[in-house]
Amino acid sequence: MDNFTFAARRVVASFTFVPAWLLSLIVLAAGIFLAIQAHRVLFRAATRMVAERDLFWRSLVQRTEGPSRLTLMMIAVAFAASIAPLTNGQANVIRHLLLVCFIALVGWTARTVLHIWVTIYLRRFKLDSEDNLLARKHTTQSRILQRVAGWLIVTITIAVALMTFEGVRQYGVSLLASAGAAGLVLGLALQPLLKNLVAGIQLAVTQPIRLEDAVIVEGEWGNVEEVTSTYVVIRLWDWRRMVLPLSYFLEHPFQNWTRESASLIGTAMIHVDYTAPVDVMRRKLVEIAEGSRLWDGRVVNLQVTELRAETMEVRMLVSATNAGRTFDLRCEVREKMIAFLQAEHPGALPRGRAEVLGQSEMPAARRALAA
């Protein structure tokens, strides 16, 4: 390697007719160009190698494209700087630039490693499974912590890069020494951001909501679609999206239908006449539930819950594995029970009654109304 470097310096030194500054630019540009071309060849080869493998390996190669290119460019610039006719000041600038690039590379690599680790960790959990409570728990927790850690990595990387500049380092030291009002003003200005970042950590630990949880928020029913480091996206039943800050779920009450389990008990209410055969309807409800692919086999019940002037209210309870299937099962139970009553017991449907009086009873009825 030393012999190669020595030979390269002799070749560069032979161009005595070219100004030193221009020759240095040419050498540095040539090094960067060769690094980019070498990376392109290597990246294509790596892409072909993983073309037949699963999605993880293809994603891994794609994710490392940027850091690997920057690494080759830094190596090429460092080598070019060692053979270029640079002055001491120019060499110091190049070394400082490489130091800043190295810090950025470490931060970039850390974020890439974080993403890869989270991807590997979450491969064990499937959100599209029937009982996805554990998967939603780990996915939500990992995504929130990943975003918070990503922001910390970016902040630390920028801070370390700025501290390599003498003027900025002195200013940072004096700012920390002065503290007081500047820190207070900065804290007040960043209060909404810091509030949501802290709320994100609290949500990741306590998990009042998870991805795909069925919730009722602000009077709207929907599912948690996305949890970022500052806000939550709720996919409403009609495909609208409601966006709420993370702190909302720590400061306001809301309903979570799938907090401990995705299974739900659905309620279907119907009003029938007092002559309706309740026992027959109860047996029919069991038959409807057992014949439905939506029922999970756990809860089925029918009860008279209220008596009104002309009808009685009947409540039918059935359970399913998740909120969507529960809603469909409730509709199915209502439709089939009404169809059964129409076909087998039409007299059980709600109806109005009128009493017809005979001729002898009419005068007494008029006197009663007049009184």
Side-chain angles (χ1 to χ4, degrees):
M1 185 65 183
D2 292 337
N3 294 334
F4 178 76
T5 303
F6 179 74
R9 286 175 179 170
R10 292 187 59 182
V11 171
V12 172
S14 64
F15 292 91
T16 56
F17 56 90
V18 180
W21 64 269
L22 180 59
L23 183 59
S24 298
L25 287 178
I26 293 174
V27 172
L28 292 173
I32 294 174
F33 175 78
L34 291 176
I36 293 175
Q37 296 304 316
H39 176 268
R40 184 174 299 174
V41 173
L42 294 174
F43 182 74
R44 287 179 178 174
T47 303
R48 286 194 295 268
M49 288 176 60
V50 300
E52 302 298 328
R53 307 192 70 171
D54 59 19
L55 179 61
F56 168 75
W57 290 101
R58 298 197 300 271
S59 177
L60 177 63
V61 172
Q62 293 294 330
R63 282 278 174 178
T64 55
E65 178 182 6
S68 59
R69 182 190 293 117
L70 180 58
T71 301
L72 289 179
M73 290 173 63
M74 289 173 56
I75 295 173
V77 170
F79 177 76
S82 67
I83 65 175
L86 298 172
T87 64
N88 290 333
Q90 292 170 343
N92 290 333
V93 171
I94 295 297
R95 282 195 290 269
H96 189 235
L97 178 62
L98 289 175
L99 175 60
V100 173
C101 290
F102 176 75
I103 295 171
L105 177 62
V106 171
W108 196 351
T109 304
R111 291 202 66 178
T112 303
V113 170
L114 176 64
H115 174 82
I116 294 172
W117 180 83
V118 171
T119 302
I120 294 174
Y121 178 73
L122 293 180
R123 290 183 73 187
R124 298 179 293 171
F125 307 103
K126 302 297 183 182
L127 286 174
D128 54 356
S129 61
E130 281 292 330
D131 188 6
N132 60 358
L133 179 63
L134 186 63
R136 291 187 288 108
K137 174 182 178 181
H138 286 272
T139 301
T140 304
Q141 195 172 51
S142 300
R143 294 302 183 194
I144 294 177
L145 294 178
Q146 179 187 5
R147 290 186 175 94
V148 173
W151 277 105
L152 289 176
I153 291 173
V154 171
T155 302
I156 295 174
T157 301
I158 295 175
V160 173
L162 290 177
M163 293 298 285
T164 61
F165 296 89
E166 188 67 26
V168 175
R169 182 167 64 246
Q170 292 178 349
Y171 175 74
V173 172
S174 63
L175 180 62
L176 290 176
S178 62
L184 180 60
V185 171
L186 182 62
L188 291 175
L190 296 178
Q191 183 181 4
L193 176 61
L194 296 176
K195 181 179 180 181
N196 281 304
L197 286 176
V198 173
I201 297 175
Q202 288 182 280
L203 285 178
V205 175
T206 60
Q207 292 198 330
I209 58 170
R210 306 183 185 96
L211 289 175
E212 294 303 323
D213 266 351
V215 296
I216 295 181
V217 182
E218 296 291 320
E220 299 277 4
W221 183 89
N223 294 89
V224 178
E225 182 177 53
E226 183 181 2
V227 181
T228 71
S229 56
T230 54
Y231 62 88
V232 177
V233 180
I234 307 296
R235 183 181 65 251
L236 302 181
W237 66 274
D238 55 359
W239 296 355
R240 289 177 295 142
R241 264 57 174 182
M242 179 183 293
V243 182
L244 298 167
L246 281 176
S247 57
Y248 176 92
F249 294 92
L250 299 177
E251 299 174 352
H252 298 84
F254 63 95
Q255 295 184 38
N256 189 336
W257 289 11
T258 54
R259 177 67 178 85
E260 296 296 337
S261 173
S263 299
L264 287 174
I265 297 176
T267 303
M269 312 293 292
I270 61 172
H271 295 271
V272 295
D273 190 76
Y274 276 89
T275 61
V278 176
D279 290 336
V280 176
M281 294 173 61
R282 186 173 289 116
R283 290 193 294 270
K284 182 61 179 179
L285 176 62
V286 174
E287 179 184 335
I288 294 172
E290 291 176 346
S292 174
R293 61 179 180 81
L294 302 173
W295 187 51
D296 62 1
R298 298 175 62 185
V299 176
V300 56
N301 194 16
L302 184 146
Q303 294 173 313
V304 177
T305 55
E306 187 177 350
L307 299 177
R308 300 185 178 181
E310 297 182 353
T311 61
M312 58 182 178
E313 183 182 77
V314 176
R315 182 182 69 179
M316 298 176 290
L317 300 179
V318 284
S319 60
T321 55
N322 57 54
R325 295 170 68 91
T326 302
F327 179 82
D328 293 338
L329 181 58
R330 290 167 58 198
C331 296
E332 180 181 349
V333 164
R334 283 196 204 95
E335 294 171 1
K336 292 187 176 180
M337 184 61 72
I338 291 297
F340 167 73
L341 294 177
Q342 289 175 341
E344 303 293 335
H345 302 276
L349 299 175
R351 53 184 174 174
R353 289 181 172 84
E355 185 176 357
V356 180
L357 300 178
Q359 291 294 330
S360 60
E361 297 173 314
M362 291 297 290
R366 289 196 185 99
R367 287 193 300 270
L369 289 173

